[in-house]
Amino acid sequence: MADPSTIRPRRVTWALETLRGLYATALRSPRFGELRGEQDERFLARFERLCEALANGSADYEFEGRELLGAMQAGYPELWAALDRRLLFFFGGECLHFLDDAELDLFQAESEAEG
């Protein structure tokens, strides 16, 4: 039987898998190649911390996610274009400002259907 502390809600598992896929996309990007700068290193470290926070069930994951996605929108358009926009809804807060009304309605309906 699984340890109850290691069981994550399905939506958190989805977000973690989606973020890990986006992180892999970042690492394949030319921008994050051998000559990446200090800012890019910090961004990748934040990305890793967010994945760890989600994996460990840390209460800080929402704040960290909002911060990371805000940084992504401002400075990493190649990753922003690859972002599953449901992550914006998942993290909520100021991330919701990046969604249009139709997306908000769709994601809210999906969330309610999941229970």
Side-chain angles (χ1 to χ4, degrees):
M1 184 168 175
D3 177 357
S5 66
T6 63
I7 298 173
R8 288 189 292 275
R10 189 171 65 198
R11 65 183 193 84
V12 174
T13 299
W14 168 85
L16 179 58
E17 291 171 0
T18 303
L19 283 169
R20 285 178 174 160
L22 189 58
Y23 182 78
T25 298
L27 293 178
R28 290 189 304 270
S29 168
R31 178 167 185 172
F32 294 100
E34 292 179 24
L35 300 176
R36 64 180 164 234
E38 187 177 322
Q39 177 182 353
D40 297 332
E41 289 290 343
R42 284 193 308 270
F43 178 78
L44 290 175
R46 289 171 74 184
F47 216 131
E48 290 170 1
R49 281 193 308 275
L50 174 57
C51 289
E52 278 183 32
L54 270 171
N56 297 329
S58 169
D60 294 336
Y61 79 80
E62 288 178 332
F63 173 77
E64 291 180 26
R66 291 173 188 149
E67 290 288 310
L68 180 82
L69 293 178
M72 186 183 302
Q73 193 278 333
Y76 297 92
E78 67 280 10
L79 291 179
W80 187 255
L83 176 73
D84 184 328
R85 295 182 61 79
R86 285 173 175 82
L87 282 173
L88 297 167
F89 187 81
F90 174 80
F91 286 110
E94 57 271 11
C95 291
L96 297 177
H97 296 290
F98 299 118
L99 298 171
D100 63 35
D101 290 341
E103 289 173 313
L104 285 169
D105 292 343
L106 173 65
F107 301 154
Q108 181 65 40
E110 288 175 355
S111 178
E112 289 171 359
E114 288 179 6

